[in-house]
Amino acid sequence: MKKIILLLGGVFFFQYFSQAETVEISKIKHDNVILYATSWCGYCKKTRAFLAENDIEYIEYNIEESEKGRKQHKALGGNGVPTLDIKGTVIHGYSIKNMKYALKELNLM
């Protein structure tokens, strides 16, 4: 009986705290361009330059320093950086072609 109670307590504890770490994609604000990056990433630097050259305003989260950014990045399926969320269109990695396409489709460029 003790084992069952401990097991149920463990399951409850795990579910409670794992849900607290989860960020639903629907809760991420999609009226912006959001860049998930790190300070040392060369492709993140190129992505910043591309956005600046095209006068695209964006919010940046350093996933190594921002808990909120790290959770959102994970919720978007982020395995690496840069990850760009353009009003709900997610681009993994550095791709000028994909960035231009998404920005043009959403009339941001």
Side-chain angles (χ1 to χ4, degrees), residues 35-38 41-49 60 81-82 94:
L35 172 62
Y36 300 94
T38 61
C41 168
Y43 287 111
C44 299
K45 184 177 180 178
K46 287 183 175 188
T47 301
R48 286 183 203 100
E60 181 175 344
V81 288
Y94 177 74

Side-chain angles (χ1 to χ4, degrees), residues 7-55:
L7 180 63
L8 290 174
V11 169
F12 172 77
F13 184 79
F14 176 76
Q15 286 182 333
Y16 177 78
F17 285 103
S18 66
Q19 288 176 354
E21 293 295 316
T22 302
V23 175
E24 292 181 34
I25 293 173
S26 62
K27 291 184 179 180
I28 298 172
K29 193 174 181 183
H30 284 123
D31 60 347
N32 296 308
V33 175
I34 304 172
L35 172 62
Y36 300 94
T38 61
S39 58
W40 50 265
C41 168
Y43 287 111
C44 299
K45 184 177 180 178
K46 287 183 175 188
T47 301
R48 286 183 203 100
F50 170 82
L51 294 170
E53 289 167 7
N54 290 284
D55 296 320

